[in-house]
Amino acid sequence: MECGWGATRKKDGYLKRKYQSLIARRGKKKALVAVGHKIIIAAYHVLKNKEAYKEPLLHYSAERNKKQIKRHLAKLKELGYDLVSAA
């Protein structure tokens, strides 16, 4: 649990993002337990495969961003705001 707490304080990392995404759905304490569980699983695989830990890549997908922009613009249009899309 304490390692999970520390991992969520890292500036920008996979475990911090996981924690942030889980907070909204599960709450802070359950999200913290889930991050601790992820660390235990990662430690198991590091010991089993005798390889250094490689943090998963953070994906900044341009396509995903375009879909989000399109979805938000549609929602705004639905609410009565008509904006010109740059994407």
Side-chain angles (χ1 to χ4, degrees):
M1 289 285 291
E2 288 185 32
C3 292
W5 192 251
T8 62
R9 300 293 184 245
K10 186 178 173 188
K11 188 169 187 171
D12 189 32
Y14 172 74
L15 294 171
K16 182 174 184 169
R17 290 236 177 137
K18 190 62 157 172
Y19 176 73
Q20 292 296 328
S21 71
L22 289 171
I23 284 176
R25 292 179 282 148
R26 303 283 184 220
K28 289 183 179 181
K29 291 190 179 191
K30 286 187 179 181
L32 193 58
V33 170
V35 169
H37 186 253
K38 285 261 184 212
I39 292 172
I40 290 171
I41 291 172
Y44 168 78
H45 287 288
V46 164
L47 294 172
K48 177 183 168 196
N49 300 331
K50 297 180 177 126
E51 296 177 353
Y53 173 71
K54 291 176 250 167
E55 188 165 317
L57 297 175
L58 299 176
H59 297 288
Y60 295 105
S61 171
E63 183 178 325
R64 181 175 181 222
N65 288 343
K66 285 182 183 180
K67 285 182 182 180
Q68 283 183 338
I69 290 169
K70 187 176 178 181
R71 182 171 42 92
H72 290 300
L73 287 174
K75 188 67 173 173
L76 284 171
K77 191 172 185 177
E78 185 181 299
L79 292 171
Y81 297 98
D82 192 22
L83 302 172
V84 178
S85 173

